[in-house]
Amino acid sequence: MRIVFITQDDPFYLARNLDYLLKKLPPYAKVVGTVVADVSPFGKRESFREKAQKTYEIFGLPFFLRYSLKFIASKLNRQNSVRHVLEHHQVPLIQLEGNINKPESLQKIAAYQPDLLISIAGNQIFKRPLLDLAPLGCLNLHTALLPKYRGLMPSFWVLKNNEKYTGVSVFFVDEGIDSGPILVQRQVEIGTRSQAELIRHTKQIGMDAIVECIEKIHAGTYQLIENDATQMTYFSFPAREDVKAFLAAGKRFY
């Protein structure tokens, strides 16, 4: 099974999780290439200055300083980078210019002859020609219990909304947003976790869920879970007022 990953150059969580995933893949699953996009935490492409300014304005000074220092540390220590992990596992980078759905991008990905695409923190909407490149489809990891909490930053919203449980969902991507049929879903008790703790916990569970999906697809016997649109909730990036409510409710970012 030839797999192409689609991810982003996240400096905080992804490197460790991708290393964990690559070590746990079954022997018949080979990652033949990875698309690594620039980080876009606000759901759209912005300059570094715009990202920094938005982070400060929405989340406040303590959050901004903490993650600025973590960002600098990640840049100084290349071993914590997504690209270093991929290089360590001898996974080629697929260099794209611009949107992943462009014909030129599709040609480059198709050259790797993927059987399966897997999006982990992919930050673009995938259109049908991309989804049709791999005969086994395209999987995406979402750290929430779909169909609830579609969209951005589910770890923030489940805490703000005082949910007792969250989880991970790995689903087959369609042309909607977090709307495809679910292959594997796991529930997680939130407890007293901070947002950072919850992200770390759910992302590792998500890696195990991806391995389970690969095994199910390889076996060819699985049952899909409906991603019922009538039960969906959708959340975009929080505003400053949402962050104030989050903190007022006693929730912690870290």
Side-chain angles (χ1 to χ4, degrees), residues 231-250:
Q231 302 297 315
M232 68 160 282
T233 56
Y234 177 84
F235 294 85
S236 59
F237 207 80
R240 179 60 183 160
E241 292 72 23
D242 299 312
V243 171
K244 289 179 179 178
F246 177 96
L247 296 172

Side-chain angles (χ1 to χ4, degrees), residues 81-126:
S81 74
V82 168
R83 294 173 190 272
H84 174 78
V85 168
L86 296 173
E87 182 181 308
H88 175 74
H89 288 276
Q90 299 181 321
V91 177
L93 286 178
I94 304 175
Q95 302 285 353
L96 303 182
E97 293 183 9
N99 193 287
I100 195 171
N101 297 291
K102 289 170 51 178
E104 297 89 342
S105 299
L106 299 179
Q107 289 175 5
K108 287 185 178 180
I109 297 170
Y112 288 80
Q113 300 179 305
D115 298 307
L116 179 69
L117 303 175
I118 301 180
S119 171
I120 305 170
N123 53 14
Q124 297 184 53
I125 300 296
F126 298 166

Side-chain angles (χ1 to χ4, degrees), residues 43-184:
K44 58 183 179 179
R45 292 180 178 273
E46 296 172 312
S47 70
F48 180 82
R49 181 180 176 280
E50 288 172 327
K51 294 172 190 175
Q53 183 174 344
K54 269 194 176 180
T55 301
Y56 172 75
E57 290 174 350
I58 293 172
F59 294 100
L61 182 60
F63 184 101
F64 176 80
L65 291 176
R66 180 183 180 90
Y67 280 95
S68 294
L69 291 173
K70 286 173 71 71
F71 176 80
I72 293 168
S74 74
K75 293 300 180 183
L76 293 175
N77 184 1
R78 186 173 173 273
Q79 291 188 343
N80 291 333
S81 74
V82 168
R83 294 173 190 272
H84 174 78
V85 168
L86 296 173
E87 182 181 308
H88 175 74
H89 288 276
Q90 299 181 321
V91 177
L93 286 178
I94 304 175
Q95 302 285 353
L96 303 182
E97 293 183 9
N99 193 287
I100 195 171
N101 297 291
K102 289 170 51 178
E104 297 89 342
S105 299
L106 299 179
Q107 289 175 5
K108 287 185 178 180
I109 297 170
Y112 288 80
Q113 300 179 305
D115 298 307
L116 179 69
L117 303 175
I118 301 180
S119 171
I120 305 170
N123 53 14
Q124 297 184 53
I125 300 296
F126 298 166
K127 296 182 179 179
R128 179 51 55 189
L130 173 63
L131 300 177
D132 289 341
L133 282 182
L136 296 178
C138 176
L139 295 176
N140 183 65
L141 169 65
H142 187 70
T143 49
L145 292 174
L146 296 172
K148 304 294 186 185
Y149 292 97
R150 294 182 185 181
L152 299 177
M153 240 178 130
S155 58
F156 172 87
W157 293 109
V158 295
L159 287 169
K160 178 182 177 294
N161 293 340
N162 291 307
E163 299 284 2
K164 288 184 170 33
Y165 296 93
T166 184
V168 300
S169 305
V170 183
F171 62 94
F172 282 108
V173 179
D174 59 18
E175 291 183 274
I177 298 176
D178 302 329
S179 55
I182 300 161
L183 184 52
V184 170

Side-chain angles (χ1 to χ4, degrees), residues 2-41:
R2 296 172 63 86
I3 298 171
V4 165
F5 284 166
I6 302 171
T7 188
Q8 60 176 296
D9 200 10
D10 167 76
F12 304 122
Y13 301 103
L14 270 183
R16 180 182 302 174
N17 284 290
L18 284 175
D19 182 61
Y20 176 84
L21 174 59
L22 287 162
K23 289 174 179 175
K24 291 203 67 173
L25 288 177
Y28 53 78
K30 178 175 176 59
V31 181
V32 295
T34 299
V35 176
V36 181
D38 293 334
V39 178
S40 57

Side-chain angles (χ1 to χ4, degrees), residues 172 183-184 212-224:
F172 282 108
L183 184 52
V184 170
E212 184 179 346
C213 286
I214 290 170
E215 292 170 345
K216 286 177 179 287
I217 291 170
H218 179 71
T221 54
Y222 55 82
Q223 290 186 331
L224 295 174

